[in-house]
Amino acid sequence: MTERQPWWKGAVVYQIYPRSFCDSNGDGVGDLGGIARHLDHLEWLGVDALWLSPIYPSPMVDLGYDVADFCDVDPVFGDLADFDLLLEEAHRRGIKVLMDWVANHTSDQHPWFLDSRSSRSSRRRNWYFWRDGKPDGSPPNNWSSAFGGGAWTWDDRSGQWYLHLFFPEQPDLDWSNLEVRDAMQRVLRFWLDRGVDGFRADVVNLIGKPPGLPDVAPELAGRSLIDLWVDIWDRTDTYRYLQEVRRTVGSYPGDRVVVGEIHTRDMGRLVDFYERGGLPLVFNFALQSQDWVPADWRRVLEQAEAVFRSPGTWPTLVLSNHDIRRIRTRFEGSEARARVAAVILLTLRGTAFIYQGDELGMVDGVGEAYAADPTGRLGCRAPVPWDMRPLRGWGAQPWLPWAPEADHCNVAARRAQPSSILHLYRELLHLRRSSHPLKHGSWRILETPSAILGYERRAGAETLVVYANFGDEDATVGGPHNGAPLLVSSSGTNPSTWDGTLAATSAVVLAV
Ligand code: NOJ
């Protein structure tokens, strides 16, 4: 008998960036009604779960990652009744729903912060980090914010500085304060009681701050949070706080899950978040920064396999999200490469994440409107085009212009064409769902010519082999290749035999 596995092991989570998914009420901003309208499509595609980027009331300085109320829905997206309906409809189709939970900070318009800011004697003053400056009038320490500039903002009225590791409109919560942790527990319970299946936890590695908030060495003062994390924020406290979160989430039935967003250049450090923090899942972003070089992918995959062999860990597979350039854009606009990347993403060991629109082969939006974001992350947030009509299935012109190619790179056109990348994603998702080796099997690298990445997935007597040719020329593999391909990245039909030759920039999945 095979051991019962939680639903999220080997599952595929589809990330929805609600503003850009679909607008149902004619204001040009995507909303919950727009998501509900397309649940049949997502069921057809075969995803196991949705992760919704923040839908909470927000001044939208960081497009929702500045939360003004953790227990409500911003009117631009709908209301709680719309959310309940969406959840019910998703569950009816067997699709789970994960909320984005922004733990590290709130909006500066959140009532907690308004209260905290109102005076030095406010009841919630110590929910955030308020400090006096240095004697020379400079900020309390030399930390930088992730979005540029210093990490402290001066508040004239109360005459102190407050800490923000992101925009000044995103003050950091002080998690060492039990009241803050209790308040966040209530937030988690609010959504768990409504029936959500878990959370994607925003930058949770930053919630434990070093006591005294000391300066970093002068040469590190302008460095990014990612560089500094190991030195500054790798805190026992963080793991303790996360254990509390895990206990709450784990006390609900149904294998509810938390996936932590942790940026680090040292993949090995992610293990602590599973083993010490108790998180079921942690994003591993290493693959999304790889160039189109098979040896690099091989190195990262072998490293991940070594890291996530540790008991209590389980790998995640991530190639893109709402913060970075899209897969196709990163690989010089090549759809063939995006197809190969899809095959790899969805045949590896782990829980896979697809960012909306990658399954259409979308490229990033370009032009003036996209340059408006000081953090340069709007390109991948171009609206999803649903059909060929002028408004492409939206209620009005969307808040951002269409990305290039929207006339054929849209859902209706891709669905109508059996050889499209959308059908490739669907095939992969259905193959993964029905394949024990792909969902739960072991992973082992195969010896291949240098242009090819090859690996094996095995469970019991069943073995699947994946070969991906990164090169611009046909290439032949010598390893196991008897048996018919289950899937070929470059065509809509799978040949009945295979002679061991891979076309340029293509991938194949074989049962051997
Ligand atoms: C990570 C999110 O993915 C990003 O979009 C956001 O700006 C920061 N966390 C701050 O919340």
Side-chain angles (χ1 to χ4, degrees):
M1 242 192 44
T2 46
E3 202 188 322
R4 192 193 77 87
Q5 302 280 7
W7 67 265
W8 42 265
K9 277 204 171 176
V12 178
V13 181
Y14 182 91
Q15 182 192 354
I16 293 189
Y17 194 71
R19 289 185 86 74
S20 303
F21 191 71
C22 184
D23 160 39
S24 70
N25 67 354
D27 66 359
V29 176
D31 48 43
L32 295 177
I35 301 171
R37 183 184 291 176
H38 294 297
L39 284 175
D40 285 341
H41 169 71
L42 295 169
E43 185 183 13
W44 172 86
L45 185 59
V47 302
D48 298 298
L50 308 177
W51 144 31
L52 307 184
S53 277
I55 54 168
Y56 314 106
S58 166
M60 302 289 171
V61 174
D62 193 15
L63 296 181
Y65 286 92
D66 47 325
V67 179
D69 181 351
F70 288 102
C71 298
D72 205 349
V73 172
D74 193 285
V76 81
F77 298 124
D79 57 23
L80 282 170
D82 296 323
F83 177 81
D84 289 341
L85 190 63
L86 174 66
L87 187 63
E88 190 186 322
E89 287 294 310
H91 282 169
R92 205 163 59 76
R93 290 166 177 80
I95 299 175
K96 314 271 187 195
V97 177
L98 310 185
M99 299 298 280
D100 213 311
W101 173 52
V102 186
N104 179 67
H105 44 265
T106 67
S107 159
D108 64 347
Q109 298 307 307
H110 194 294
W112 299 343
F113 187 72
L114 293 177
D115 183 11
S116 180
R117 182 177 215 163
S118 63
S119 92
R120 287 191 183 208
S121 58
S122 148
R123 194 174 78 71
R124 291 201 180 84
R125 188 67 170 177
N126 61 358
W127 282 40
Y128 296 83
F129 296 95
W130 290 100
R131 297 288 183 276
D132 295 328
K134 290 186 176 159
D136 66 359
S138 62
N141 71 24
N142 62 357
W143 298 359
S144 299
S145 105
F147 295 148
W152 295 90
T153 287
W154 173 253
D155 180 55
D156 244 349
R157 212 165 100 197
S158 62
Q160 280 190 311
W161 301 81
Y162 68 87
L163 176 70
H164 52 86
L165 295 179
F166 294 88
F167 284 122
E169 294 85 352
Q170 293 167 296
D172 279 48
L173 284 163
D174 184 350
W175 272 71
S176 71
N177 183 333
L178 188 57
E179 287 183 337
V180 167
R181 303 211 297 281
D182 282 349
M184 275 301 188
Q185 290 282 337
R186 283 194 291 279
V187 168
L188 294 171
R189 287 186 184 283
F190 176 85
W191 294 103
L192 290 164
D193 289 340
R194 286 198 113 76
V196 304
D197 302 284
F199 302 93
R200 173 267 188 192
D202 193 69
V203 293
V204 277
N205 55 321
L206 302 179
I207 59 179
K209 309 281 194 289
L213 310 178
D215 272 340
V216 292
E219 65 275 16
L220 297 180
R223 298 279 287 279
S224 80
L225 299 175
I226 300 172
D227 289 327
L228 295 181
W229 171 68
V230 169
D231 302 313
I232 303 189
W233 286 288
D234 184 12
R235 313 254 341 129
T236 305
D237 295 344
T238 301
Y239 303 117
R240 188 162 55 83
Y241 306 150
L242 291 177
Q243 287 285 358
E244 292 172 7
V245 168
R246 176 61 186 147
R247 267 198 296 281
T248 301
V249 175
S251 70
Y252 283 74
D255 297 321
R256 311 228 188 162
V257 71
V258 180
V259 49
E261 186 204 22
I262 282 108
H263 292 273
T264 169
R265 295 196 204 289
D266 180 357
M267 195 194 293
R269 305 301 288 258
L270 296 178
V271 172
D272 282 338
F273 288 87
Y274 295 85
E275 293 183 345
R276 297 171 65 195
L279 294 185
L281 290 174
V282 172
F283 284 135
N284 175 11
F285 293 119
L287 265 188
Q288 73 182 20
S289 51
Q290 300 311 309
D291 292 333
W292 197 247
V293 178
D296 293 354
W297 285 56
R298 177 184 173 140
R299 185 182 40 75
V300 167
L301 292 179
E302 286 192 290
Q303 191 192 352
E305 197 55 28
V307 166
F308 298 107
R309 194 165 283 161
S310 199
T313 67
W314 176 257
T316 56
L317 311 164
V318 186
L319 281 182
S320 78
N321 60 34
H322 64 291
D323 287 331
I324 64 161
R325 288 180 307 143
R326 282 191 177 276
I327 299 174
R328 239 188 99 192
T329 304
R330 298 206 304 272
F331 298 137
E332 285 86 46
S334 162
E335 186 181 308
R337 288 181 176 186
R339 283 170 175 260
V340 172
V343 173
I344 298 173
L345 175 74
L346 296 167
T347 57
L348 287 171
R349 187 172 81 88
T351 297
F353 291 78
I354 298 175
Y355 175 52
Q356 71 179 33
D358 280 343
E359 76 283 10
L360 304 174
M362 280 180 75
V363 290
D364 282 7
V366 286
E368 222 175 288
Y370 287 93
D373 174 19
T375 68
R377 297 173 300 169
L378 285 184
C380 62
R381 301 173 183 178
V384 172
W386 288 92
D387 58 36
M388 271 76 89
R389 291 173 297 167
L391 291 178
R392 307 203 188 286
W394 281 56
Q397 278 302 335
W399 67 287
L400 279 173
W402 303 109
E405 303 180 17
D407 53 337
H408 63 272
C409 185
N410 61 59
V411 178
R414 296 295 203 210
R415 269 186 79 148
Q417 189 191 9
S419 62
S420 72
I421 185 169
L422 176 61
H423 280 271
L424 173 68
Y425 265 88
R426 179 169 189 259
E427 256 189 89
L428 282 161
L429 285 165
H430 286 256
L431 181 63
R432 186 179 174 92
R433 200 172 254 190
S434 60
S435 159
H436 193 50
L438 288 185
K439 269 198 96 159
H440 300 296
S442 61
W443 181 94
R444 184 172 71 90
I445 199 85
L446 297 174
E447 284 312 319
T448 50
S450 60
I452 295 178
L453 174 73
Y455 50 87
E456 174 194 276
R457 302 293 316 276
R458 185 190 290 257
E462 264 187 276
T463 304
L464 263 60
V465 165
V466 179
Y467 291 119
N469 179 7
F470 281 59
D472 295 332
E473 287 167 18
D474 292 3
T476 304
V477 285
H481 55 71
N482 51 324
L486 296 172
L487 184 141
V488 179
S489 72
S490 49
S491 78
T493 50
N494 298 325
S496 55
T497 57
W498 190 62
D499 65 0
T501 303
L502 279 161
T505 322
S506 75
V508 64
V509 183
L510 301 161
V512 296

